[in-house]
Amino acid sequence: MTDEYYGIKLSGCKILMCFFAYFAHNQVNQTQFSNEQLRILLKNMVTASTYTICEVGKNLSAVKRELKATISPINERIDQLKIPKDVIVRKEHHIRIDFRNSKAVITIISMALAILLLLGGNVWQLNTNGKLRDNDLKYRYIKLKGEVDTKVLSQLESIFTYNRDRDAISKIRKQVKSHEQLVREHAEKLERERFEEVQN
């Protein structure tokens, strides 16, 4: 690097050193200089110092600009290499079904048919269980009545099948349950009496 990058010119330094030497000599032997000479000497020293300081400042500014021009691209490159902390890495999974592949198509159609058949079977089973419950309740009601004619049978079919009446079915269920409870209690009572007779 040249002297300009260090911010010091040799001529300015020589001038400043000469004036300081004169001033130091004047301090030692003040009788060699008059007051006018001292005033001029001090004025020249101030001028030389100012000039030297200005030159140093200019050279320092040049060095600063040069360093900034060198460091700026490095900083930009570092900023580009930095990975932001708030970046979220998201993994995406894609599932693709190729209908040109016969195995995939056959598998999907088979599963869909199996699901439909199972749903149909569940609905049919539900209806069948409902009919079986109704038939069981009708049988228990006929058993409660002891003997029935065609009029009672047609009423039962109308209530349970043709014109389904949930209120009437609920009443029949309550009657059947209360009758069965009474029959059960009567049977238990007879059983206890027979047991007591055997014990006596």
Side-chain angles (χ1 to χ4, degrees):
M1 296 176 72
T2 61
D3 290 341
E4 290 182 357
Y5 285 100
Y6 291 105
I8 299 172
K9 282 191 175 180
L10 191 58
S11 59
C13 289
K14 286 181 178 179
I15 293 169
L16 188 59
M17 288 171 62
C18 290
F19 284 123
F20 278 125
Y22 282 127
F23 183 74
H25 183 69
N26 184 37
Q27 290 290 91
V28 174
N29 191 4
Q30 293 182 1
T31 58
Q32 291 181 355
F33 299 100
S34 63
N35 288 335
E36 184 65 24
Q37 287 176 336
L38 287 174
R39 187 179 61 77
I40 294 170
L41 180 63
L42 288 174
K43 182 179 177 183
N44 289 336
M45 286 179 66
V46 169
T47 304
S49 299
T50 305
Y51 171 78
T52 304
I53 290 169
C54 289
E55 288 295 319
V56 169
K58 288 179 184 177
N59 291 325
L60 285 176
S61 298
V63 171
K64 183 179 177 182
R65 283 194 301 272
E66 186 69 23
L67 287 174
K68 191 179 287 185
T70 304
I71 292 172
S72 293
I74 297 172
N75 287 334
E76 290 175 1
R77 184 63 180 160
I78 290 171
D79 291 337
Q80 290 176 356
L81 293 175
K82 285 182 180 177
I83 298 174
K85 293 181 180 179
D86 57 347
V87 171
I88 298 172
V89 178
R90 184 175 63 188
K91 293 182 180 178
E92 295 183 357
H93 301 280
H94 298 283
I95 299 172
R96 187 178 66 179
I97 298 172
D98 188 5
F99 286 99
R100 290 173 293 184
N101 187 354
S102 61
K103 290 182 180 179
V105 174
I106 291 170
T107 304
I108 292 170
I109 292 172
S110 301
M111 290 176 66
L113 289 174
I115 291 169
L116 289 174
L117 287 173
L118 289 172
L119 286 174
N122 286 337
V123 171
W124 178 80
Q125 188 68 37
L126 187 64
N127 290 332
T128 303
N129 289 339
K131 288 178 182 179
L132 290 174
R133 280 195 302 270
D134 290 344
N135 290 336
D136 179 63
L137 187 58
K138 284 189 281 185
Y139 169 76
R140 288 157 64 192
Y141 182 73
I142 291 169
K143 191 177 176 182
L144 179 150
K145 292 294 183 180
E147 57 181 56
V148 292
D149 54 8
T150 56
K151 183 179 179 182
V152 175
L153 288 175
S154 63
Q155 285 178 350
L156 286 174
E157 288 299 321
S158 175
I159 290 170
F160 282 93
T161 306
Y162 303 117
N163 299 313
R164 192 169 181 83
D165 188 355
R166 294 184 181 278
D167 294 334
I169 293 171
S170 178
K171 287 179 183 178
I172 291 172
R173 184 174 287 111
K174 286 179 182 178
Q175 288 177 8
V176 169
K177 284 184 178 180
S178 62
H179 174 71
E180 289 175 348
Q181 181 68 25
L182 290 173
V183 170
R184 192 179 302 111
E185 290 176 357
H186 184 65
E188 289 175 356
K189 183 179 178 182
L190 290 175
E191 187 69 26
R192 281 195 302 270
E193 290 176 356
R194 190 170 32 230
F195 182 71
E196 289 175 359
E197 287 178 359
V198 170
Q199 291 290 333
N200 292 332

PDB file of all heavy atoms in Angstrom, residues 79-90:
ATOM      1  N   ASP A  79     -25.312 -12.754   4.475  1.00  0.00           N
ATOM      2  CA  ASP A  79     -26.759 -12.644   4.658  1.00  0.00           C
ATOM      3  C   ASP A  79     -27.518 -13.612   3.754  1.00  0.00           C
ATOM      4  O   ASP A  79     -28.557 -14.159   4.140  1.00  0.00           O
ATOM      5  CB  ASP A  79     -27.221 -11.208   4.380  1.00  0.00           C
ATOM      6  CG  ASP A  79     -26.731 -10.234   5.455  1.00  0.00           C
ATOM      7  OD1 ASP A  79     -26.444 -10.704   6.581  1.00  0.00           O
ATOM      8  OD2 ASP A  79     -26.635  -9.026   5.169  1.00  0.00           O
ATOM      9  N   GLN A  80     -26.999 -13.820   2.555  1.00  0.00           N
ATOM     10  CA  GLN A  80     -27.650 -14.760   1.648  1.00  0.00           C
ATOM     11  C   GLN A  80     -27.519 -16.195   2.136  1.00  0.00           C
ATOM     12  O   GLN A  80     -28.411 -17.019   1.919  1.00  0.00           O
ATOM     13  CB  GLN A  80     -27.044 -14.652   0.241  1.00  0.00           C
ATOM     14  CG  GLN A  80     -27.403 -13.357  -0.474  1.00  0.00           C
ATOM     15  CD  GLN A  80     -26.704 -13.231  -1.821  1.00  0.00           C
ATOM     16  OE1 GLN A  80     -25.898 -14.094  -2.173  1.00  0.00           O
ATOM     17  NE2 GLN A  80     -27.003 -12.173  -2.542  1.00  0.00           N
ATOM     18  N   LEU A  81     -26.406 -16.496   2.796  1.00  0.00           N
ATOM     19  CA  LEU A  81     -26.183 -17.859   3.278  1.00  0.00           C
ATOM     20  C   LEU A  81     -26.942 -18.172   4.551  1.00  0.00           C
ATOM     21  O   LEU A  81     -27.103 -19.340   4.902  1.00  0.00           O
ATOM     22  CB  LEU A  81     -24.685 -18.102   3.500  1.00  0.00           C
ATOM     23  CG  LEU A  81     -23.819 -18.106   2.236  1.00  0.00           C
ATOM     24  CD1 LEU A  81     -22.364 -18.233   2.615  1.00  0.00           C
ATOM     25  CD2 LEU A  81     -24.231 -19.235   1.302  1.00  0.00           C
ATOM     26  N   LYS A  82     -27.402 -17.144   5.271  1.00  0.00           N
ATOM     27  CA  LYS A  82     -28.117 -17.381   6.527  1.00  0.00           C
ATOM     28  C   LYS A  82     -29.485 -17.979   6.224  1.00  0.00           C
ATOM     29  O   LYS A  82     -30.168 -17.573   5.301  1.00  0.00           O
ATOM     30  CB  LYS A  82     -28.304 -16.073   7.299  1.00  0.00           C
ATOM     31  CG  LYS A  82     -27.027 -15.586   7.967  1.00  0.00           C
ATOM     32  CD  LYS A  82     -27.299 -14.320   8.735  1.00  0.00           C
ATOM     33  CE  LYS A  82     -26.043 -13.800   9.419  1.00  0.00           C
ATOM     34  NZ  LYS A  82     -26.270 -12.528  10.106  1.00  0.00           N
ATOM     35  N   ILE A  83     -29.885 -18.963   7.025  1.00  0.00           N
ATOM     36  CA  ILE A  83     -31.210 -19.569   6.901  1.00  0.00           C
ATOM     37  C   ILE A  83     -32.090 -18.957   7.983  1.00  0.00           C
ATOM     38  O   ILE A  83     -31.766 -19.027   9.160  1.00  0.00           O
ATOM     39  CB  ILE A  83     -31.137 -21.092   7.084  1.00  0.00           C
ATOM     40  CG1 ILE A  83     -30.253 -21.687   5.987  1.00  0.00           C
ATOM     41  CG2 ILE A  83     -32.530 -21.712   7.070  1.00  0.00           C
ATOM     42  CD1 ILE A  83     -30.001 -23.159   6.149  1.00  0.00           C
ATOM     43  N   PRO A  84     -33.213 -18.332   7.623  1.00  0.00           N
ATOM     44  CA  PRO A  84     -34.077 -17.736   8.655  1.00  0.00           C
ATOM     45  C   PRO A  84     -34.591 -18.791   9.619  1.00  0.00           C
ATOM     46  O   PRO A  84     -34.866 -19.927   9.230  1.00  0.00           O
ATOM     47  CB  PRO A  84     -35.233 -17.123   7.835  1.00  0.00           C
ATOM     48  CG  PRO A  84     -34.723 -17.041   6.434  1.00  0.00           C
ATOM     49  CD  PRO A  84     -33.701 -18.111   6.284  1.00  0.00           C
ATOM     50  N   LYS A  85     -34.719 -18.402  10.910  1.00  0.00           N
ATOM     51  CA  LYS A  85     -35.150 -19.340  11.936  1.00  0.00           C
ATOM     52  C   LYS A  85     -36.644 -19.625  11.856  1.00  0.00           C
ATOM     53  O   LYS A  85     -37.099 -20.644  12.335  1.00  0.00           O
ATOM     54  CB  LYS A  85     -34.817 -18.779  13.328  1.00  0.00           C
ATOM     55  CG  LYS A  85     -33.328 -18.707  13.585  1.00  0.00           C
ATOM     56  CD  LYS A  85     -33.045 -18.181  14.968  1.00  0.00           C
ATOM     57  CE  LYS A  85     -31.538 -18.107  15.228  1.00  0.00           C
ATOM     58  NZ  LYS A  85     -31.239 -17.585  16.558  1.00  0.00           N
ATOM     59  N   ASP A  86     -37.422 -18.696  11.301  1.00  0.00           N
ATOM     60  CA  ASP A  86     -38.865 -18.875  11.278  1.00  0.00           C
ATOM     61  C   ASP A  86     -39.353 -19.655  10.061  1.00  0.00           C
ATOM     62  O   ASP A  86     -40.543 -19.755   9.829  1.00  0.00           O
ATOM     63  CB  ASP A  86     -39.576 -17.519  11.326  1.00  0.00           C
ATOM     64  CG  ASP A  86     -39.137 -16.604  10.175  1.00  0.00           C
ATOM     65  OD1 ASP A  86     -38.139 -16.935   9.527  1.00  0.00           O
ATOM     66  OD2 ASP A  86     -39.809 -15.580   9.961  1.00  0.00           O
ATOM     67  N   VAL A  87     -38.430 -20.220   9.293  1.00  0.00           N
ATOM     68  CA  VAL A  87     -38.826 -21.014   8.135  1.00  0.00           C
ATOM     69  C   VAL A  87     -39.273 -22.392   8.624  1.00  0.00           C
ATOM     70  O   VAL A  87     -38.583 -23.043   9.396  1.00  0.00           O
ATOM     71  CB  VAL A  87     -37.661 -21.148   7.129  1.00  0.00           C
ATOM     72  CG1 VAL A  87     -38.010 -22.154   6.044  1.00  0.00           C
ATOM     73  CG2 VAL A  87     -37.343 -19.808   6.512  1.00  0.00           C
ATOM     74  N   ILE A  88     -40.462 -22.810   8.208  1.00  0.00           N
ATOM     75  CA  ILE A  88     -41.004 -24.102   8.603  1.00  0.00           C
ATOM     76  C   ILE A  88     -40.845 -25.063   7.430  1.00  0.00           C
ATOM     77  O   ILE A  88     -41.308 -24.797   6.331  1.00  0.00           O
ATOM     78  CB  ILE A  88     -42.491 -23.976   8.991  1.00  0.00           C
ATOM     79  CG1 ILE A  88     -42.629 -23.035  10.197  1.00  0.00           C
ATOM     80  CG2 ILE A  88     -43.088 -25.343   9.296  1.00  0.00           C
ATOM     81  CD1 ILE A  88     -44.054 -22.711  10.528  1.00  0.00           C
ATOM     82  N   VAL A  89     -40.180 -26.162   7.707  1.00  0.00           N
ATOM     83  CA  VAL A  89     -39.986 -27.177   6.673  1.00  0.00           C
ATOM     84  C   VAL A  89     -41.186 -28.113   6.713  1.00  0.00           C
ATOM     85  O   VAL A  89     -41.469 -28.729   7.738  1.00  0.00           O
ATOM     86  CB  VAL A  89     -38.677 -27.962   6.900  1.00  0.00           C
ATOM     87  CG1 VAL A  89     -38.517 -29.039   5.851  1.00  0.00           C
ATOM     88  CG2 VAL A  89     -37.485 -27.012   6.888  1.00  0.00           C
ATOM     89  N   ARG A  90     -41.929 -28.186   5.628  1.00  0.00           N
ATOM     90  CA  ARG A  90     -43.146 -28.996   5.580  1.00  0.00           C
ATOM     91  C   ARG A  90     -42.961 -30.136   4.594  1.00  0.00           C
ATOM     92  O   ARG A  90     -42.559 -29.928   3.464  1.00  0.00           O
ATOM     93  CB  ARG A  90     -44.329 -28.126   5.157  1.00  0.00           C
ATOM     94  CG  ARG A  90     -45.657 -28.860   5.174  1.00  0.00           C
ATOM     95  CD  ARG A  90     -46.796 -27.948   4.867  1.00  0.00           C
ATOM     96  NE  ARG A  90     -46.680 -27.398   3.535  1.00  0.00           N
ATOM     97  CZ  ARG A  90     -47.468 -26.446   3.045  1.00  0.00           C
ATOM     98  NH1 ARG A  90     -48.403 -25.923   3.797  1.00  0.00           N
ATOM     99  NH2 ARG A  90     -47.307 -25.997   1.819  1.00  0.00           N
TER     100      ARG A  90
END
